[in-house]
Coordinates of all heavy atoms in Angstrom, one line a residue:
M1 N -11.9 -13.4 7.6 CA -11.1 -12.3 7.3 C -10.1 -12.1 8.5 O -10.6 -12.2 9.8 CB -11.9 -11.0 7.1 CG -11.2 -9.9 6.9 SD -12.4 -8.6 6.3 CE -11.5 -7.2 6.8
T2 N -8.9 -11.8 8.3 CA -7.9 -11.5 9.3 C -7.6 -10.0 9.5 O -8.1 -9.3 8.6 CB -6.6 -12.2 9.1 OG1 -6.1 -11.7 7.8 CG2 -6.7 -13.6 8.9
A3 N -7.3 -9.7 10.7 CA -6.9 -8.3 11.0 C -5.8 -8.4 11.8 O -5.4 -9.3 12.4 CB -8.1 -7.7 11.8
S4 N -5.0 -7.2 11.8 CA -3.8 -7.1 12.6 C -3.4 -5.7 13.1 O -4.1 -4.8 12.6 CB -2.5 -7.6 11.7 OG -2.4 -6.6 10.6
I5 N -2.7 -5.7 14.1 CA -2.2 -4.4 14.7 C -0.8 -4.5 14.7 O -0.2 -5.4 15.4 CB -2.9 -4.3 16.1 CG1 -4.4 -4.3 16.1 CG2 -2.4 -2.8 16.7 CD1 -5.0 -4.3 17.6
G6 N -0.2 -3.4 14.1 CA 1.4 -3.4 14.2 C 1.6 -2.4 15.4 O 1.1 -1.3 15.5
I7 N 2.6 -2.8 16.2 CA 2.9 -2.0 17.4 C 4.4 -2.0 17.6 O 5.1 -3.0 17.6 CB 2.3 -2.7 18.7 CG1 0.7 -2.8 18.5 CG2 2.7 -1.7 20.0 CD1 0.2 -3.6 19.6
W8 N 4.9 -0.7 17.6 CA 6.5 -0.5 17.7 C 6.7 0.4 18.7 O 6.1 1.5 19.0 CB 6.9 0.1 16.4 CG 6.6 -0.7 15.2 CD1 7.3 -1.5 14.6 CD2 5.4 -0.7 14.4 NE1 6.8 -2.3 13.5 CE2 5.5 -1.6 13.3 CE3 4.3 0.1 14.4 CZ2 4.6 -1.7 12.4 CZ3 3.3 -0.1 13.5 CH2 3.4 -1.0 12.4
A9 N 7.9 0.1 19.5 CA 8.4 1.1 20.5 C 8.9 2.2 19.8 O 9.6 2.0 18.7 CB 9.4 0.4 21.5
Q10 N 8.7 3.4 20.4 CA 9.3 4.7 19.7 C 10.5 5.3 20.3 O 10.8 6.4 20.0 CB 8.1 5.8 19.6 CG 6.9 5.4 18.7 CD 7.5 5.3 17.2 OE1 7.6 6.3 16.6 NE2 7.5 4.1 16.8
G11 N 11.1 4.5 21.1 CA 12.3 4.9 21.9 C 12.9 3.7 22.5 O 12.7 2.5 22.2
D12 N 13.6 3.8 23.6 CA 14.3 2.8 24.3 C 13.3 2.0 25.1 O 12.7 2.6 26.1 CB 15.3 3.3 25.2 CG 16.3 2.4 25.9 OD1 15.9 1.1 25.7 OD2 17.0 2.7 26.7
P13 N 13.1 0.6 24.8 CA 12.1 -0.1 25.6 C 12.6 -0.4 27.1 O 12.0 -0.7 27.9 CB 12.1 -1.4 24.9 CG 12.6 -1.2 23.6 CD 13.4 -0.1 23.6
A14 N 14.0 0.0 27.3 CA 14.3 -0.2 28.7 C 14.2 0.9 29.6 O 14.5 1.0 30.7 CB 16.0 -0.3 28.6
G15 N 13.4 2.0 29.1 CA 13.1 3.1 29.9 C 12.0 2.9 30.9 O 11.4 1.8 30.9
E16 N 11.8 3.9 31.7 CA 10.7 3.7 32.7 C 9.3 3.8 32.1 O 8.3 3.2 32.7 CB 10.9 4.8 33.8 CG 12.0 4.6 34.8 CD 12.1 5.7 35.8 OE1 11.2 6.2 36.2 OE2 13.3 5.9 36.3
S17 N 9.3 4.6 31.1 CA 7.9 4.8 30.4 C 8.3 4.7 28.9 O 9.2 5.3 28.4 CB 7.3 6.1 30.7 OG 6.1 6.3 30.0
V18 N 7.5 3.7 28.3 CA 7.8 3.6 26.8 C 6.6 4.0 26.0 O 5.5 3.7 26.2 CB 8.1 1.9 26.5 CG1 8.4 1.8 25.1 CG2 9.1 1.5 27.5
L19 N 7.0 4.8 24.9 CA 5.8 5.2 24.0 C 5.8 4.2 22.9 O 6.8 3.8 22.3 CB 6.2 6.6 23.4 CG 5.2 7.2 22.3 CD1 4.0 7.4 22.9 CD2 5.8 8.5 21.8
Y20 N 4.5 3.6 22.5 CA 4.4 2.8 21.4 C 3.6 3.4 20.4 O 2.5 4.1 20.7 CB 3.7 1.4 21.9 CG 4.7 0.6 22.8 CD1 4.7 0.8 24.0 CD2 5.4 -0.3 22.1 CE1 5.5 -0.1 24.9 CE2 6.3 -1.1 22.7 CZ 6.3 -1.0 24.2 OH 7.2 -1.9 24.8
R21 N 3.9 3.2 19.2 CA 3.0 3.7 18.1 C 2.4 2.4 17.5 O 2.9 1.4 17.5 CB 4.0 4.3 16.9 CG 3.2 4.5 15.6 CD 4.0 5.2 14.5 NE 5.1 4.4 14.1 CZ 5.2 3.6 13.2 NH1 4.2 3.3 12.5 NH2 6.3 2.9 12.9
W22 N 1.0 2.5 17.2 CA 0.3 1.4 16.7 C -0.4 1.7 15.4 O -0.8 2.9 15.2 CB -0.6 0.8 17.8 CG -1.7 1.8 18.2 CD1 -1.6 2.6 19.3 CD2 -2.9 2.1 17.6 NE1 -2.7 3.4 19.5 CE2 -3.6 2.9 18.4 CE3 -3.7 1.5 16.5 CZ2 -4.9 3.5 18.1 CZ3 -4.9 2.0 16.3 CH2 -5.5 3.0 17.0
E23 N -0.6 0.8 14.6 CA -1.4 0.9 13.3 C -2.3 -0.3 13.1 O -1.9 -1.3 13.3 CB -0.5 1.2 12.1 CG 0.4 2.3 12.2 CD 1.3 2.4 10.9 OE1 1.2 1.5 10.0 OE2 2.1 3.3 10.9
A24 N -3.6 0.1 12.7 CA -4.6 -1.1 12.6 C -5.4 -0.5 11.5 O -6.1 0.5 11.7 CB -5.3 -1.5 13.9
D25 N -5.6 -1.3 10.5 CA -6.6 -0.8 9.5 C -6.4 0.5 9.0 O -5.4 0.9 8.5 CB -8.0 -1.1 10.0 CG -9.0 -1.9 8.9 OD1 -8.5 -2.0 7.8 OD2 -10.2 -1.9 9.1
Q26 N -7.3 1.4 9.2 CA -7.2 2.8 8.7 C -6.9 3.8 9.9 O -7.1 4.9 9.8 CB -8.5 3.2 8.0 CG -8.8 2.4 6.7 CD -7.8 2.6 5.8 OE1 -7.4 3.7 5.4 NE2 -7.4 1.4 5.1
E27 N -6.6 3.2 11.2 CA -6.3 3.9 12.2 C -4.9 3.8 12.8 O -4.4 2.8 12.5 CB -7.4 3.5 13.4 CG -8.9 3.8 13.1 CD -9.8 3.6 14.1 OE1 -9.6 4.2 15.3 OE2 -10.6 2.7 14.0
S28 N -4.5 4.7 13.5 CA -3.3 4.6 14.1 C -3.3 5.6 15.3 O -4.1 6.4 15.6 CB -2.1 5.1 13.2 OG -2.3 6.5 12.9
G29 N -2.3 5.3 16.3 CA -2.3 6.2 17.5 C -1.0 5.7 18.4 O -0.1 5.1 17.9
F30 N -1.0 6.2 19.5 CA 0.1 6.1 20.4 C -0.4 5.7 21.9 O -1.6 6.1 22.3 CB 1.0 7.3 20.6 CG 1.7 7.7 19.3 CD1 0.9 8.6 18.4 CD2 2.8 7.3 18.9 CE1 1.5 8.9 17.2 CE2 3.5 7.6 17.8 CZ 2.9 8.4 17.0
V31 N 0.3 4.9 22.6 CA 0.1 4.6 24.0 C 1.4 4.7 24.6 O 2.5 4.5 24.2 CB -0.6 3.2 24.2 CG1 -2.0 3.1 23.6 CG2 0.3 2.1 23.8
T32 N 1.3 5.1 26.0 CA 2.5 4.9 26.9 C 2.3 3.8 27.8 O 1.2 3.5 28.3 CB 2.7 6.3 27.6 OG1 1.5 6.6 28.4 CG2 3.0 7.5 26.7
F33 N 3.4 3.1 28.1 CA 3.4 2.1 29.0 C 4.4 2.3 30.2 O 5.5 2.6 29.9 CB 3.9 0.8 28.2 CG 4.1 -0.4 29.1 CD1 3.2 -0.8 30.1 CD2 5.2 -1.3 28.9 CE1 3.4 -1.9 30.9 CE2 5.4 -2.4 29.6 CZ 4.6 -2.8 30.6
E34 N 3.9 2.5 31.3 CA 4.6 2.8 32.5 C 5.1 1.4 33.0 O 4.3 0.7 33.7 CB 3.9 3.6 33.6 CG 3.3 5.0 33.0 CD 2.4 5.4 34.0 OE1 2.0 4.9 35.1 OE2 1.7 6.5 33.6
V35 N 6.3 1.1 32.8 CA 6.9 -0.3 33.0 C 6.7 -0.7 34.5 O 6.2 -1.8 34.7 CB 8.2 -0.4 32.5 CG1 8.7 -1.8 32.8 CG2 8.4 0.0 31.0
S36 N 7.0 0.0 35.4 CA 7.1 -0.4 36.8 C 5.7 -0.6 37.4 O 5.5 -1.6 38.1 CB 7.8 0.7 37.7 OG 7.1 2.0 37.8
T37 N 4.7 0.1 36.9 CA 3.3 0.0 37.3 C 2.5 -0.9 36.4 O 1.3 -1.3 36.7 CB 2.6 1.3 37.5 OG1 2.6 2.0 36.3 CG2 3.3 2.1 38.6
R38 N 3.0 -1.1 35.2 CA 2.3 -1.7 34.0 C 1.0 -0.9 33.7 O 0.0 -1.6 33.3 CB 2.1 -3.2 34.4 CG 3.4 -3.9 34.4 CD 3.1 -5.4 34.6 NE 2.9 -5.6 36.0 CZ 2.2 -6.6 36.5 NH1 1.9 -7.6 35.7 NH2 2.1 -6.8 37.8
R39 N 0.9 0.3 33.9 CA -0.2 1.1 33.4 C -0.1 1.7 32.0 O 1.1 2.0 31.6 CB -0.4 2.3 34.4 CG -0.8 1.9 35.8 CD -0.9 3.1 36.6 NE -1.4 2.8 38.0 CZ -1.3 3.6 39.0 NH1 -1.0 4.9 38.8 NH2 -1.8 3.2 40.1
F40 N -1.2 1.7 31.4 CA -1.2 2.3 29.9 C -2.1 3.4 29.9 O -3.2 3.5 30.5 CB -1.7 1.2 29.0 CG -0.8 0.0 28.8 CD1 -0.8 -1.0 29.7 CD2 0.0 0.0 27.7 CE1 0.1 -2.1 29.5 CE2 0.8 -1.1 27.6 CZ 0.8 -2.2 28.4
R41 N -1.7 4.3 28.9 CA -2.5 5.6 28.8 C -2.4 5.9 27.2 O -1.3 5.7 26.6 CB -2.0 6.8 29.4 CG -2.1 6.7 30.9 CD -1.5 8.0 31.5 NE -1.3 7.8 33.0 CZ -2.3 8.1 33.9 NH1 -3.3 8.4 33.5 NH2 -2.0 7.9 35.2
P42 N -3.6 6.2 26.5 CA -3.4 6.7 25.3 C -2.6 8.0 25.2 O -2.7 8.8 26.2 CB -4.8 7.0 24.8 CG -5.6 7.1 26.0 CD -5.0 6.4 27.1
A43 N -2.0 8.3 24.1 CA -1.1 9.5 24.2 C -0.9 10.0 22.7 O -1.3 9.4 21.6 CB 0.4 9.1 24.5
D44 N -0.3 11.3 22.6 CA -0.2 11.7 21.3 C 1.3 11.5 20.9 O 2.0 10.7 21.7 CB -0.2 13.3 21.3 CG 0.6 14.0 22.2 OD1 1.7 13.6 22.6 OD2 0.3 15.3 22.6
G45 N 1.8 11.9 19.7 CA 3.1 11.5 19.3 C 4.3 11.9 20.1 O 5.4 11.3 20.0
S46 N 4.1 12.9 21.0 CA 5.2 13.2 22.0 C 5.2 12.5 23.2 O 6.0 12.8 24.1 CB 5.2 14.7 22.1 OG 3.9 15.1 22.9
G47 N 4.1 11.6 23.4 CA 3.9 10.9 24.7 C 3.0 11.6 25.8 O 2.9 11.0 26.8
S48 N 2.4 12.7 25.4 CA 1.6 13.4 26.4 C 0.3 12.7 26.5 O -0.3 12.3 25.3 CB 1.4 14.9 26.0 OG 2.6 15.5 26.1
P49 N -0.3 12.4 27.7 CA -1.5 11.6 27.7 C -2.7 12.4 27.1 O -2.8 13.6 27.0 CB -1.8 11.6 29.3 CG -0.5 11.9 29.8 CD 0.2 12.8 29.0
I50 N -3.6 11.5 26.5 CA -4.8 12.0 26.0 C -6.0 11.8 27.0 O -6.2 10.5 27.2 CB -5.2 11.5 24.5 CG1 -4.1 11.8 23.6 CG2 -6.6 11.9 24.1 CD1 -4.2 11.1 22.3
G51 N -6.7 12.8 27.5 CA -7.8 12.5 28.4 C -7.2 11.9 29.7 O -6.0 11.9 30.1
D52 N -8.2 11.2 30.4 CA -7.8 10.6 31.6 C -8.1 9.1 31.5 O -8.1 8.2 32.5 CB -8.4 11.1 32.7 CG -10.0 10.8 32.7 OD1 -10.5 10.4 31.8 OD2 -10.7 11.3 33.8
L53 N -8.1 8.5 30.2 CA -8.3 7.0 30.0 C -7.0 6.3 30.5 O -5.9 6.8 30.3 CB -8.5 6.7 28.6 CG -8.6 5.2 28.2 CD1 -9.8 4.6 28.9 CD2 -8.9 5.2 26.7
L54 N -7.2 5.3 31.3 CA -6.0 4.6 31.9 C -6.4 3.1 32.1 O -7.5 2.8 32.5 CB -5.9 5.1 33.5 CG -4.8 4.4 34.2 CD1 -3.4 4.5 33.8 CD2 -4.9 4.8 35.7
F55 N -5.4 2.2 31.7 CA -5.6 0.9 32.0 C -4.6 0.6 33.0 O -3.4 0.7 32.9 CB -5.2 -0.1 30.8 CG -5.4 -1.5 31.1 CD1 -6.5 -2.1 31.1 CD2 -4.3 -2.2 31.7 CE1 -6.7 -3.6 31.6 CE2 -4.4 -3.5 32.1 CZ -5.6 -4.1 32.0
D56 N -5.2 0.2 34.3 CA -4.4 -0.2 35.4 C -4.6 -1.7 35.8 O -5.7 -2.2 36.0 CB -4.7 0.5 36.6 CG -4.0 0.4 37.9 OD1 -3.3 -0.6 38.0 OD2 -4.1 1.2 38.9
P57 N -3.5 -2.6 35.7 CA -3.8 -4.0 35.9 C -4.3 -4.4 37.1 O -5.0 -5.4 37.3 CB -2.4 -4.6 35.7 CG -1.4 -3.5 36.0 CD -2.1 -2.2 35.6
A58 N -4.2 -3.4 38.2 CA -4.7 -3.8 39.4 C -6.3 -3.7 39.4 O -6.9 -4.5 40.1 CB -4.3 -2.8 40.5
A59 N -6.9 -2.9 38.5 CA -8.3 -2.8 38.3 C -8.8 -3.8 37.2 O -9.9 -4.3 37.3 CB -8.7 -1.5 37.8
G60 N -7.9 -4.1 36.4 CA -8.2 -5.1 35.3 C -9.0 -4.8 34.2 O -9.3 -5.6 33.3
E61 N -9.3 -3.5 34.1 CA -10.1 -2.9 33.0 C -9.8 -1.4 33.0 O -9.3 -0.8 33.8 CB -11.6 -3.1 33.1 CG -12.2 -2.5 34.3 CD -13.7 -2.8 34.5 OE1 -14.1 -4.0 34.2 OE2 -14.4 -2.0 34.9
P62 N -10.0 -0.8 31.7 CA -9.8 0.6 31.6 C -10.8 1.5 32.3 O -11.9 1.0 32.6 CB -9.9 0.9 30.1 CG -10.3 -0.4 29.6 CD -10.4 -1.3 30.5
S63 N -10.4 2.7 32.8 CA -11.2 3.6 33.3 C -10.9 5.0 32.7 O -9.9 5.3 32.4 CB -11.1 3.7 34.9 OG -9.7 4.1 35.2
G64 N -11.8 5.8 32.9 CA -11.8 7.2 32.4 C -12.1 7.3 30.9 O -12.6 6.4 30.2
T65 N -12.0 8.5 30.3 CA -12.3 8.8 28.9 C -11.1 9.5 28.3 O -10.4 10.1 28.8 CB -13.6 9.7 28.8 OG1 -13.3 10.8 29.5 CG2 -14.7 8.9 29.5
A66 N -11.2 9.4 26.9 CA -10.2 10.2 26.1 C -10.9 10.4 24.7 O -11.2 9.5 24.0 CB -9.0 9.4 25.9
E67 N -11.2 11.7 24.4 CA -12.0 12.1 23.3 C -11.1 11.7 22.1 O -9.9 11.9 22.0 CB -12.2 13.5 23.2 CG -13.0 14.0 22.1 CD -13.5 15.5 22.3 OE1 -13.6 16.1 23.3 OE2 -13.6 16.1 21.2
G68 N -11.9 11.0 21.1 CA -11.2 10.6 19.9 C -10.4 9.3 19.9 O -9.9 8.8 18.9
V69 N -10.4 8.6 21.0 CA -9.7 7.4 21.2 C -10.7 6.3 21.0 O -11.7 6.2 21.7 CB -8.9 7.4 22.5 CG1 -8.3 5.9 22.8 CG2 -7.9 8.4 22.7
N70 N -10.3 5.3 20.1 CA -11.0 4.1 19.9 C -10.8 3.2 21.2 O -9.6 2.5 21.2 CB -10.8 3.5 18.6 CG -11.6 2.2 18.3 OD1 -11.8 1.4 19.1 ND2 -11.9 2.0 17.1
R71 N -11.7 3.1 22.0 CA -11.4 2.2 23.2 C -11.2 0.7 23.0 O -10.3 0.1 23.6 CB -12.6 2.4 24.2 CG -12.4 2.1 25.6 CD -13.6 2.6 26.4 NE -13.3 2.0 27.8 CZ -13.3 2.8 28.8 NH1 -13.5 4.1 28.8 NH2 -13.1 2.3 30.1
R72 N -11.9 0.2 21.9 CA -11.7 -1.2 21.7 C -10.3 -1.4 21.1 O -9.6 -2.3 21.6 CB -12.7 -1.6 20.5 CG -12.5 -3.0 20.0 CD -13.5 -3.5 18.9 NE -13.3 -2.6 17.8 CZ -12.3 -2.7 16.8 NH1 -11.4 -3.8 16.9 NH2 -12.2 -2.0 15.7
L73 N -9.8 -0.5 20.3 CA -8.4 -0.6 19.8 C -7.5 -0.4 20.9 O -6.3 -1.1 21.0 CB -8.2 0.3 18.6 CG -8.5 -0.1 17.2 CD1 -8.4 0.9 16.2 CD2 -7.8 -1.4 16.9
F74 N -7.7 0.5 21.7 CA -6.7 0.9 22.9 C -6.7 -0.5 23.8 O -5.6 -0.9 24.1 CB -7.5 1.9 23.8 CG -6.6 2.1 25.0 CD1 -5.4 2.7 25.1 CD2 -7.3 1.9 26.3 CE1 -4.8 3.0 26.4 CE2 -6.5 2.0 27.6 CZ -5.3 2.5 27.5
N75 N -7.8 -1.1 24.0 CA -7.8 -2.4 24.8 C -7.0 -3.4 24.1 O -6.2 -4.2 24.7 CB -9.2 -2.9 25.0 CG -9.9 -2.1 25.9 OD1 -9.4 -1.4 26.8 ND2 -11.3 -2.1 25.9
Q76 N -7.2 -3.5 22.8 CA -6.4 -4.6 21.9 C -4.9 -4.3 22.0 O -4.0 -5.2 22.1 CB -6.9 -4.6 20.6 CG -8.3 -5.3 20.5 CD -8.9 -5.3 19.1 OE1 -8.6 -4.4 18.3 NE2 -9.8 -6.2 18.8
V77 N -4.5 -3.0 21.9 CA -3.0 -2.7 21.9 C -2.6 -3.0 23.3 O -1.4 -3.6 23.4 CB -2.9 -1.2 21.6 CG1 -1.5 -0.7 21.9 CG2 -3.3 -0.9 20.2
V78 N -3.3 -2.7 24.4 CA -2.8 -2.9 25.8 C -2.6 -4.5 26.0 O -1.5 -5.0 26.4 CB -3.7 -2.5 26.8 CG1 -3.6 -3.0 28.3 CG2 -3.8 -1.0 26.9
V79 N -3.5 -5.3 25.5 CA -3.4 -6.7 25.6 C -2.1 -7.2 24.8 O -1.4 -8.0 25.3 CB -4.6 -7.4 25.1 CG1 -4.5 -8.9 25.0 CG2 -5.8 -7.2 26.1
A80 N -2.0 -6.7 23.6 CA -0.9 -7.2 22.8 C 0.5 -6.9 23.4 O 1.4 -7.7 23.5 CB -1.0 -6.6 21.5
I81 N 0.6 -5.7 24.1 CA 1.8 -5.3 24.8 C 2.0 -6.1 26.0 O 3.3 -6.6 26.2 CB 1.8 -3.8 25.0 CG1 1.9 -2.9 23.6 CG2 3.1 -3.4 25.8 CD1 1.7 -1.5 23.8
M82 N 0.9 -6.4 26.7 CA 1.2 -7.2 27.9 C 1.6 -8.5 27.6 O 2.3 -9.3 28.4 CB -0.2 -7.0 28.8 CG -0.3 -5.8 29.5 SD 1.0 -5.3 30.6 CE 1.1 -6.7 31.7
R83 N 1.0 -9.2 26.6 CA 1.4 -10.6 26.2 C 2.8 -10.7 25.8 O 3.6 -11.5 26.3 CB 0.5 -11.0 24.9 CG -0.8 -11.4 25.3 CD -1.6 -11.8 24.2 NE -2.9 -12.2 24.5 CZ -3.9 -12.2 23.6 NH1 -3.7 -11.9 22.3 NH2 -5.1 -12.5 24.0
A84 N 3.3 -9.6 25.1 CA 4.8 -9.6 24.7 C 5.6 -9.3 26.0 O 6.8 -9.8 26.1 CB 5.0 -8.5 23.5
Y85 N 5.1 -8.4 26.9 CA 5.8 -8.2 28.1 C 6.1 -9.3 28.9 O 7.1 -9.7 29.5 CB 5.1 -7.0 28.8 CG 5.6 -6.8 30.3 CD1 6.7 -5.9 30.3 CD2 5.1 -7.3 31.4 CE1 7.3 -5.7 31.6 CE2 5.6 -7.1 32.6 CZ 6.6 -6.3 32.8 OH 7.3 -6.0 34.0
R86 N 4.9 -10.1 29.0 CA 5.0 -11.4 29.8 C 6.1 -12.5 29.2 O 6.6 -13.1 29.9 CB 3.6 -12.0 30.0 CG 2.7 -11.2 30.9 CD 1.5 -11.9 31.2 NE 0.6 -11.0 31.9 CZ -0.6 -10.6 31.5 NH1 -1.1 -10.9 30.2 NH2 -1.3 -9.6 32.2
R87 N 5.9 -12.5 27.9 CA 6.8 -13.5 27.2 C 8.3 -13.1 27.4 O 9.2 -13.9 27.7 CB 6.6 -13.6 25.8 CG 5.4 -14.4 25.4 CD 5.3 -14.7 23.9 NE 5.3 -13.5 23.1 CZ 4.2 -12.9 22.7 NH1 2.9 -13.3 23.1 NH2 4.3 -11.8 21.8
A88 N 8.6 -11.8 27.3 CA 10.1 -11.3 27.4 C 10.4 -10.9 28.7 O 11.7 -10.9 29.0 CB 10.2 -10.0 26.5
G89 N 9.6 -10.7 29.7 CA 10.0 -10.2 31.0 C 10.3 -8.8 31.1 O 10.9 -8.3 32.0
A90 N 10.2 -8.0 29.9 CA 10.6 -6.6 29.9 C 9.7 -6.0 28.8 O 9.0 -6.7 28.0 CB 12.0 -6.5 29.5
A91 N 9.8 -4.7 28.8 CA 8.9 -3.9 27.7 C 9.5 -4.4 26.3 O 10.6 -4.3 26.0 CB 9.2 -2.5 27.8
P92 N 8.6 -4.8 25.5 CA 9.1 -5.3 24.2 C 9.3 -4.2 23.2 O 8.8 -3.2 23.3 CB 7.9 -6.1 23.6 CG 6.7 -5.5 24.2 CD 7.2 -5.0 25.6
A93 N 10.2 -4.4 22.1 CA 10.4 -3.5 21.1 C 9.2 -3.5 20.1 O 8.9 -2.5 19.6 CB 11.7 -3.9 20.4
T94 N 8.6 -4.7 19.9 CA 7.4 -4.8 19.0 C 6.4 -5.7 19.8 O 6.8 -6.5 20.6 CB 7.6 -5.5 17.7 OG1 8.2 -6.7 17.8 CG2 8.7 -4.5 16.9
A95 N 5.2 -5.5 19.4 CA 4.0 -6.4 20.1 C 2.9 -6.5 19.0 O 1.7 -6.3 19.3 CB 3.6 -5.8 21.3
H96 N 3.2 -6.9 17.8 CA 2.2 -7.1 16.8 C 1.1 -8.2 17.1 O 1.5 -9.1 17.8 CB 2.8 -7.5 15.5 CG 4.0 -6.6 15.1 ND1 3.8 -5.3 15.0 CD2 5.1 -6.9 14.7 CE1 5.0 -4.6 14.6 NE2 5.8 -5.7 14.4
A97 N 0.0 -7.9 16.8 CA -1.3 -8.9 17.2 C -1.9 -9.2 15.9 O -2.1 -8.3 15.0 CB -2.1 -8.1 18.2
Y98 N -2.5 -10.4 15.8 CA -3.2 -10.9 14.7 C -4.5 -11.5 15.2 O -4.5 -12.2 16.1 CB -2.4 -12.0 13.9 CG -1.0 -11.4 13.4 CD1 0.2 -11.6 14.3 CD2 -0.9 -10.6 12.3 CE1 1.4 -11.0 13.9 CE2 0.3 -10.1 12.0 CZ 1.3 -10.3 12.6 OH 2.7 -9.8 12.4
Y99 N -5.6 -11.1 14.4 CA -6.9 -11.6 14.8 C -7.5 -12.3 13.6 O -7.4 -11.8 12.5 CB -7.8 -10.4 15.2 CG -7.2 -9.8 16.5 CD1 -6.4 -8.6 16.3 CD2 -7.5 -10.3 17.7 CE1 -5.9 -8.1 17.5 CE2 -7.1 -9.6 18.9 CZ -6.2 -8.6 18.7 OH -5.7 -7.9 19.8
Y100 N -8.2 -13.5 13.9 CA -8.8 -14.2 12.8 C -10.3 -14.2 12.9 O -10.9 -14.1 13.9 CB -8.3 -15.7 12.8 CG -6.8 -15.7 12.6 CD1 -5.9 -15.7 13.6 CD2 -6.4 -15.7 11.3 CE1 -4.6 -15.7 13.4 CE2 -4.9 -15.7 11.0 CZ -4.0 -15.7 12.1 OH -2.7 -15.7 11.9

């Protein structure tokens, strides 16, 4: 069985911080990507952080908590955006991921 995550930038990917909307199965949410530091945080639809959950590439793993946030999906969204970022050399407009 395959699974996928759809990920779309909700504004200008050339900004300092990019809000992404994601959808997977029956769940959806938002993350912000701080381009210069490559840090990610779960967010609400306006881009405000949820909790203190943070993925910092210097640490290599998420830290903190965010009530109601599926940590596994958060990690998968972060990985998908980082892969697309590395390929493009900039924040991507989309970063869809497929799992088999």
Side-chain angles (χ1 to χ4, degrees):
M1 181 172 154
T2 61
S4 64
I5 303 174
I7 304 168
W8 302 267
Q10 294 295 284
D12 182 6
E16 291 180 28
S17 181
V18 182
L19 178 66
Y20 287 92
R21 177 176 56 93
W22 60 266
E23 295 178 4
D25 221 3
Q26 301 295 319
E27 296 187 57
S28 63
F30 296 89
V31 298
T32 55
F33 174 39
E34 299 167 8
V35 180
S36 64
T37 62
R38 292 184 282 160
R39 291 179 177 169
F40 290 85
R41 297 177 189 277
D44 63 18
S46 68
S48 297
I50 298 173
D52 65 354
L53 182 59
L54 168 72
F55 178 86
D56 184 343
E61 61 185 40
S63 63
T65 60
E67 187 173 332
V69 173
N70 181 321
R71 198 170 176 124
R72 180 184 58 81
L73 277 172
F74 173 71
N75 291 340
Q76 290 174 330
V77 169
V78 166
V79 167
I81 295 170
M82 284 306 298
R83 284 181 182 154
Y85 173 81
R86 286 184 189 117
R87 283 192 303 269
T94 63
H96 309 307
Y98 304 92
Y99 299 91
Y100 299 92

